[in-house]
Amino acid sequence: MKILLTKLYKVFLSEETQERIEKVILYLALVSFFIHLALTYLSKLEVIDFLSDSDFLQNPISAIYTPFSFILIYEVYLLIYYLPKSFTTYITKQYEIITLIIIRKLFKDLSSLELSTNWFDIKGDLQFTYDILASVILFYLIYQFQKQGKRKAVKQVDSKLNIERFIQRKKIIAVILVPLFFVMATVTLLGWLSDLSLSSSDSLSFESINNLFFDEFFTVLILVDVVLLLISFFYTDEFHKIIRNSGFIVSTILIRMSFGSSGLISTLLIVIAVLFGLSIILIHNKYEKHRLE
């Protein structure tokens, strides 16, 4: 079993695999950007009428949305890649993914801004304001979270044997997650293409695909976080560590809830989720510092 795990881990999550996937994703992002851009101009010149009434091909800026989708896929892989290596980096990747989703929304918002004196009376312009402020706030909160995560890692004093056992359990989860998310992404893509062929072009918009895959993705992450919490009970019964892991689950649930909301409520849920995670790790590190003293 251990030999099989080592082989699968090397295939899915080794540094060589990570570097290969990074190159493939970057090439796909570049190619997809130019294809989307070409389709936009062909549609404007009326050379093609495919999705001519859709938000997809209304503005060249919208083409940035497509490569960002591939970057998000790579971030999902990195989240799994870092799961066995660092728990705080794994949580950080969750926050980075939801921030990149907001950044991706900004490009959609930019392509449809009306730029009038009634800025705060126009729903699209108002949403752009929410998103751009949220992206700056999240960028800073993630920076602070990373700082606290590194500080905690330096002061970690758990027994080496317990850490190694916990890492082995996390490797098993990571090896399972790679093919699972690949299947989820494939099924989502095929389902979307099927809907695309059956839908009229004017019914297709960025709003209908912005949460595609990621609502199910964060649902799975909640389950993974719960499993990690339960496994952690085998290696520690310290109150502050249990609260930390439980707090991260709450943070992930708040992010998942944001996909079921829209407008300001959705944006606030995301900011509150990351702020809550930062508060949890700050208090956790206070406990660690007190214990060492």
Side-chain angles (χ1 to χ4, degrees), residues 52-293:
S52 58
D53 297 324
S54 171
D55 293 343
F56 285 98
L57 306 179
Q58 291 298 309
N59 193 308
I61 296 175
S62 304
I64 306 173
Y65 195 94
T66 303
F68 251 80
S69 298
F70 284 102
I71 293 170
L72 277 166
I73 291 171
Y74 180 60
E75 286 292 318
V76 169
Y77 173 78
L78 285 181
L79 179 145
I80 303 170
Y81 176 79
Y82 283 112
L83 172 58
K85 296 175 171 61
S86 169
F87 187 63
T88 50
T89 304
Y90 161 76
I91 298 297
T92 302
K93 284 297 172 185
Q94 293 187 29
Y95 296 157
E96 288 177 358
I97 286 170
I98 194 62
T99 304
L100 284 172
I101 290 173
I102 291 178
I103 295 293
R104 187 176 66 165
K105 283 173 61 183
L106 280 175
F107 293 118
K108 182 268 296 181
D109 295 339
L110 273 170
S111 66
S112 58
L113 285 179
E114 297 187 32
L115 299 176
S116 72
T117 54
N118 299 320
W119 180 281
F120 293 102
D121 295 326
I122 302 172
K123 184 179 179 181
D125 292 1
L126 200 57
Q127 185 60 51
F128 175 81
T129 306
Y130 297 151
D131 290 343
I132 201 166
L133 289 174
S135 62
V136 174
I137 293 169
L138 289 170
F139 193 26
Y140 179 74
L141 292 177
I142 291 170
Y143 163 71
Q144 292 295 333
F145 188 87
Q146 286 178 321
K147 279 181 63 178
Q148 295 301 319
K150 288 178 181 178
R151 186 175 301 172
K152 186 275 301 181
V154 170
K155 295 181 178 180
Q156 181 70 42
V157 294
D158 287 341
S159 75
K160 186 176 180 180
L161 182 60
N162 279 349
I163 292 174
E164 288 177 353
R165 286 176 177 174
F166 193 34
I167 289 173
Q168 282 297 112
R169 302 297 186 274
K170 290 194 290 184
K171 281 184 176 181
I172 294 172
I173 294 172
V175 165
I176 293 171
L177 285 178
V178 172
L180 174 62
F181 282 131
F182 176 77
V183 170
M184 284 175 59
T186 303
V187 170
T188 302
L189 177 62
L190 293 175
W192 180 74
L193 290 174
S194 175
D195 292 340
L196 185 67
S197 63
L198 297 173
S199 303
S200 59
S201 61
D202 59 350
S203 67
L204 293 166
S205 66
F206 285 106
E207 293 297 336
S208 64
I209 68 166
N210 198 57
N211 298 343
L212 202 65
F213 171 74
F214 287 99
D215 50 355
E216 289 87 359
F217 168 72
F218 275 96
T219 300
V220 174
L221 285 188
I222 291 168
L223 301 177
V224 171
D225 290 348
V226 171
V227 171
L228 289 173
L229 173 64
L230 295 175
I231 292 174
S232 70
F233 279 105
F234 287 100
Y235 307 107
T236 182
D237 58 356
E238 294 178 273
F239 173 74
H240 67 289
K241 292 190 180 299
I242 294 170
I243 292 296
R244 181 200 64 176
N245 295 344
S246 301
F248 289 155
I249 295 174
V250 173
S251 180
T252 307
I253 291 172
L254 288 172
I255 292 173
R256 173 62 183 83
M257 288 172 62
S258 72
F259 291 106
S261 307
S262 60
L264 181 59
I265 298 299
S266 176
T267 306
L268 281 175
L269 280 171
I270 294 168
V271 173
I272 290 170
V274 180
L275 183 60
F276 181 76
L278 175 60
S279 302
I280 287 292
I281 200 169
L282 278 167
I283 298 170
H284 169 270
N285 288 351
K286 293 289 185 182
Y287 268 90
E288 285 285 283
K289 183 179 178 181
H290 177 72
R291 186 179 67 167
L292 290 173
E293 290 174 350

Side-chain angles (χ1 to χ4, degrees), residues 8-25:
L8 289 174
Y9 187 82
K10 187 175 181 180
V11 170
F12 292 148
L13 296 160
S14 65
E15 290 185 13
E16 294 80 7
T17 302
Q18 182 260 325
E19 290 174 0
R20 284 198 297 269
I21 289 176
E22 181 180 15
K23 289 180 180 179
V24 169
I25 292 294

